[in-house]
Amino acid sequence: MSSALVAVSNPQTVEKSITSFTSVALISHLILFQTFFVISFFLTTINFYSHLRRAHYVTLEDVLRKIVKRYIRFTSAQVILIALQSRWFVHLSRGLFWEQVMGSEARLCSEMWWTNLLYINNFFFDHGLCLLHTWSLSADFQLTVIGLLILWWTQKNSKRLFLVSGGLLLVQVTWTFFYLGWNNFEFGTLYTPESLYGFTFLFRKEWQATWTTTVSNLAGLAWGLLFGYIYSHRQNNTFITKKSDHIWWYAIVLISTFGTIFFSGYYKTSDYYSSSRWFAASYGSIEKVVCVFGISLFIFGTLQGLGGFVRNVLEWAPMHTLGTLSFGAYLVHFVFLNIDNALKRNPSYFSPYLITSEIFKNVVMSNFCSVILTAFVLMPMENLTNKFL
């Protein structure tokens, strides 16, 4: 998407991309971003019940302490990034697109920084966002507060946890269905060239309703709480033992995750595409819930010893280091996307080679900067908070 942020010399290719199954299916893979929410709340639940087993009761003060730790972890690095984005990065260079990209980012961070630090910027898209990608941190923080309060309230009655988690799923499905249907929005979000240019699709109400709001991400919280509870209380039990169970596990995971993605890509590019408001509302309301269930089931299955080669890769020692760097890399990666586009002197030739090379550069630079950010900011702050909180 970032490759189409500024001018391209072959706009026909971008125009045709929305009719390509491969392109639309690749963009639809954005839904796998929900993996981060699932892991976050899965681990939060496991840590909560681990604390509960030691202390026999988790007080509201303990919950507030965990929330403060989360806030400090998210904020410590973000403050530095906001300061650099609003005052320093804009003076690094100049060029045809520099003011258009970096200048606008600097102005937004100077005006809207407070929404980042209060973690409410996912509700302020119409006013413009400082560090556009940090809407997910706001959603994560909001859901963390809700999740910890739910765990605290249900710690002595597990039935409440299952009822509340089911209620969260019902709220997301119902709210999304009626919101999309009432406003007659299209089937999902169509990433047209007009919407990709300048990331203007971010300001569309259907995208915000199905992506950035707290309600639209309740599935990650609900499934994370449920599977985290099951793992915490039954981690010594093996549920998936028979060969037939293994087959069913693989089938359900693949169908519920990649199946929903490929269906989206196929339907949006087929001759059967329909803009029926109620079909769009139905799909938009259940797609994320089904996909997140598949992600949660995959994580739970790997802890049961399934996954084969994929599990071996995830347990590979270097992946631990990359996991430590992942948060810092996520924080800075969008800055490098903007800088790369802002430095362009001529329109780009949109091609798979361009996309691949930009991804490679971004991954390398983001992880390199994350080493510095993690070593000098994130890890010291985490040690300090653990010591004093």
Side-chain angles (χ1 to χ4, degrees):
M1 291 181 179
S2 65
S3 302
L5 180 62
V6 294
V8 294
S9 59
N10 57 334
Q12 299 90 348
T13 304
V14 182
E15 292 281 350
K16 292 178 181 178
S17 65
I18 62 169
T19 62
S20 166
F21 167 77
T22 304
S23 298
V24 175
L26 282 174
I27 293 176
S28 298
H29 273 73
L30 283 170
I31 197 171
L32 294 180
F33 180 82
Q34 295 295 311
T35 304
F36 293 104
F37 289 135
V38 173
I39 292 175
S40 176
F41 306 127
F42 186 85
L43 294 176
T44 297
T45 305
I46 292 174
N47 291 333
F48 181 89
Y49 284 110
S50 177
H51 184 177
L52 180 61
R53 281 192 292 271
R54 294 194 307 269
H56 303 294
Y57 185 77
V58 179
T59 66
L60 186 58
E61 182 182 350
D62 294 327
V63 170
L64 294 177
R65 188 179 295 113
K66 291 178 183 294
I67 293 173
V68 172
K69 284 185 177 181
R70 190 74 160 189
Y71 180 86
I72 293 174
R73 172 173 169 75
F74 279 7
T75 308
S76 56
Q78 199 176 175
V79 165
I80 296 174
L81 208 56
I82 291 172
L84 293 173
Q85 187 77 14
S86 60
R87 290 292 181 265
W88 193 64
F89 287 154
V90 70
H91 301 295
L92 282 178
S93 183
R94 63 183 64 185
L96 181 62
F97 303 113
W98 188 264
E99 173 58 26
Q100 174 186 341
V101 179
M102 301 304 294
S104 61
E105 286 289 322
R107 286 190 292 273
L108 285 172
C109 282
S110 297
E111 297 171 2
M112 304 299 295
W113 59 270
W114 58 276
T115 61
N116 291 61
L117 301 189
L118 292 177
Y119 293 99
I120 55 174
N121 64 349
N122 57 330
F123 294 105
F124 285 83
F125 272 86
D126 293 340
H127 302 278
L129 294 185
C130 167
L131 301 176
L132 194 61
H133 61 298
T134 57
W135 67 264
S136 63
L137 299 184
S138 295
D140 187 290
F141 184 78
Q142 294 159 14
L143 292 171
T144 297
V145 174
I146 296 172
L148 284 171
L149 291 175
I150 290 173
L151 290 169
W152 171 74
W153 182 60
T154 62
Q155 59 183 305
K156 294 299 183 182
N157 190 340
S158 59
K159 291 183 179 179
R160 288 181 180 177
L161 180 66
F162 284 84
L163 289 174
V164 173
S165 298
L168 293 176
L169 294 173
L170 182 63
V171 168
Q172 176 173 333
V173 171
T174 305
W175 182 86
T176 307
F177 176 79
F178 284 106
Y179 185 88
L180 295 178
W182 182 265
N183 292 283
N184 197 21
F185 286 137
E186 293 177 330
F187 174 83
T189 301
L190 292 177
Y191 299 99
T192 62
E194 293 79 12
S195 66
L196 290 177
Y197 188 79
F199 293 136
T200 54
F201 71 89
L202 294 168
F203 304 100
R204 295 188 174 185
K205 295 299 182 182
E206 67 266 36
W207 194 86
Q208 296 173 24
T210 55
W211 269 94
T212 65
T213 59
T214 310
V215 178
S216 64
N217 292 291
L218 287 174
L221 172 60
W223 291 124
L225 290 175
L226 290 174
F227 279 95
Y229 174 85
I230 295 171
Y231 178 78
S232 296
H233 289 76
R234 300 287 188 272
Q235 56 182 305
N236 295 323
N237 297 347
T238 302
F239 296 94
I240 308 173
T241 56
K242 300 178 182 178
K243 187 174 182 179
S244 59
D245 295 336
H246 293 194
I247 295 173
W248 276 111
W249 178 79
Y250 279 106
I252 294 173
V253 167
L254 291 174
I255 292 173
S256 57
T257 53
F258 294 103
T260 55
I261 293 168
F262 290 135
F263 174 78
S264 177
Y266 167 76
Y267 196 79
K268 290 178 182 178
T269 56
S270 71
D271 295 332
Y272 301 102
Y273 176 80
S274 170
S275 58
S276 166
R277 68 157 65 183
W278 298 117
F279 185 84
S282 301
Y283 174 82
S285 62
I286 66 171
E287 178 191 34
K288 192 178 290 186
V289 173
V290 173
C291 188
V292 172
F293 170 75
I295 295 170
S296 305
L297 186 62
F298 168 75
I299 294 172
F300 185 79
T302 57
L303 294 172
Q304 294 277 304
L306 302 178
F309 173 75
V310 176
R311 182 173 182 265
N312 293 334
V313 170
L314 294 175
E315 293 182 344
W316 186 37
M319 291 295 288
H320 292 227
T321 303
L322 291 175
T324 303
L325 298 176
S326 62
F327 179 63
Y330 176 74
L331 278 177
V332 302
H333 86 280
F334 202 78
V335 175
F336 286 110
L337 288 178
N338 283 333
I339 290 177
D340 190 51
N341 281 301
L343 286 173
K344 291 175 180 176
R345 305 297 183 184
N346 299 296
S348 302
Y349 185 82
F350 191 81
S351 67
Y353 172 77
L354 172 69
I355 296 172
T356 304
S357 62
E358 289 188 349
I359 289 175
F360 179 77
K361 287 189 297 183
N362 188 268
V363 169
V364 172
M365 292 302 298
S366 297
N367 279 281
F368 174 76
C369 288
S370 181
V371 171
I372 301 172
L373 194 64
T374 303
F376 294 100
V377 179
L378 294 176
M379 293 181 71
M381 289 301 298
E382 185 174 358
N383 291 332
L384 285 173
T385 53
N386 288 336
K387 182 176 181 179
F388 293 105
L389 293 176

